Amino acid sequence: MAVSKKNIKNNSYKLGSPFNKHNMDKWFYFFHAVSSISGEDNAFFIELQIVNPAGCKENVSFATRNSIITEVGGPSSEEIASMLYQNNQDKAETPASDKKSAYIAVRAGILGKNAKYINNYFSYKDFRLDKKNNQIFLPGCLFSLNKLKGEIYNSQETTLNHPEYFSQSGSISWDINYERMFDFPKIVKQKPLFWAVTGADTAFSGTISMDGIVYNIFPMKCSGYSDKLWGAELSRPFLHLSTSNLISLISGKKIQHQCLAIQGEYNKKLAAYINVTPDKLVFLPEDKYESIWSNTQFSQNSLEENIHCTISFTNRKYIIDVDAFCNTSEMSVKTYESLINPGKVFKLLENGNATGELRVYKKIKKTIELIEHLKFSDAFFSYGVEDENA
């Protein structure tokens, strides 16, 4: 199934003019791959982020004063709790940095218990755009509509000398073909932020190597997802949940191209794209509906802690209930510079193996009927807040 013409356009580079008010363009790719050594399944991501290209024609620029080295390993229970229950209001004001973030970042990594993120940065002079073929070239990297190829590396010395990179040391390379099997042409247009689900179900194939270990990507098992963001910055607070690995608990079947993607907040509402019924269920901020969500941390037993994310959408026709669960031992933290609060840090708590259930109810007169009940796995979960301590 080919990607729609609208999403080919949505996937294109948006920061062509130096006077463009959008200061960020970000492509994101998520998939699972299998270790050629152990046979273990692992979740991976690759992303390309372009920030204020007019300000990095020759050299990159960072606004953060952060001096904390990004270490290998997941967040502590206390750090997770701090992020989940942090109050984003009534915070002490921090003087803004007089520097402005300006760079092109290629980030890639493995999620889970042995999470590792590698980040490389480039200036605009390293950037080459082939508009006709929808391709972006950077030293050692290619991003196109059906191909991802690249290699990035950081030495221990680079990691120690450049804490602003928010990167661990090591190397990661990839040679991947992909096809977007199912997309949603309608996009979230909540200015100054835009979100396009360019591949709610994306079939990836090829290999990705982390520190010399090769992982094979199989299109029927990769649980792939891809999207595009552009605008001022990620929303605050930020929540994302997506999966293309769903099985109906009513029929017992896995239907081709069933998928969901939820993200926000946009104008204090989550947006959602859900393809599990004959009708696509799309909730956009300008539509009339209510969305409610929360994250809670709980102990399943004395040895295991989890995050429970509950999400609900209600409009005049449907009620959608989602319960997602993430094991905290498989969570990791991705750190960005804040683009709306220069000098501050924006952290994302991430998990590539979220599980859960999705229920779809249809309103019939004064009653509701459960029309679909599914379980999902291999989901990508992300929750972000401004770091109060940065």
Side-chain angles (χ1 to χ4, degrees), residues 33-212:
V34 178
S35 169
S36 61
I37 296 176
S38 67
E40 183 181 5
D41 179 273
N42 290 270
F44 289 84
F45 79 92
I46 299 170
E47 70 178 41
L48 168 64
Q49 184 190 31
I50 302 176
V51 176
N52 296 319
C56 64
K57 292 180 179 179
E58 296 292 331
N59 299 294
V60 301
S61 175
F62 297 90
T64 53
R65 307 185 186 94
N66 192 285
S67 60
I68 300 173
I69 303 301
T70 304
E71 298 179 352
V72 177
S76 66
S77 178
E78 291 76 15
E79 185 176 2
I80 291 173
S82 175
M83 291 179 69
L84 289 180
Y85 306 120
Q86 177 173 304
N87 183 358
N88 285 301
Q89 297 179 349
D90 302 323
K91 296 186 295 184
E93 290 293 328
T94 301
S97 170
D98 56 358
K99 291 186 177 181
K100 189 173 183 179
S101 303
Y103 47 74
I104 299 172
V106 176
R107 303 183 180 93
I110 186 171
L111 299 156
K113 293 181 180 179
N114 299 310
K116 177 181 278 193
Y117 296 171
I118 309 296
N119 307 331
N120 276 186
Y121 296 87
F122 305 88
S123 64
Y124 197 66
K125 68 181 179 182
D126 299 316
F127 175 86
R128 184 165 70 86
L129 175 67
D130 181 348
K131 286 186 177 181
K132 182 178 179 181
N133 295 304
N134 227 310
Q135 295 178 326
I136 291 175
F137 297 89
L138 290 162
C141 297
L142 162 67
F143 294 84
S144 77
L145 283 174
N146 52 25
K147 181 75 176 179
L148 302 172
K149 187 175 177 62
E151 180 176 10
I152 53 178
Y153 166 81
N154 273 326
S155 66
Q156 289 187 345
E157 182 181 8
T158 298
T159 301
L160 290 170
N161 291 336
H162 295 278
E164 71 276 14
Y165 288 0
F166 301 114
S167 177
Q168 295 153 2
S169 59
S171 65
I172 185 168
S173 61
W174 57 93
D175 188 352
I176 300 171
N177 296 308
Y178 71 98
E179 181 180 2
R180 294 181 171 98
M181 308 304 294
F182 193 91
D183 68 345
F184 291 88
K186 288 186 177 181
I187 70 171
V188 172
K189 299 179 181 179
Q190 196 64 37
K191 293 182 179 181
L193 300 169
F194 299 80
W195 177 43
V197 180
T198 53
D201 179 14
T202 303
F204 294 90
S205 62
T207 59
I208 186 165
S209 300
M210 171 67 80
D211 294 334

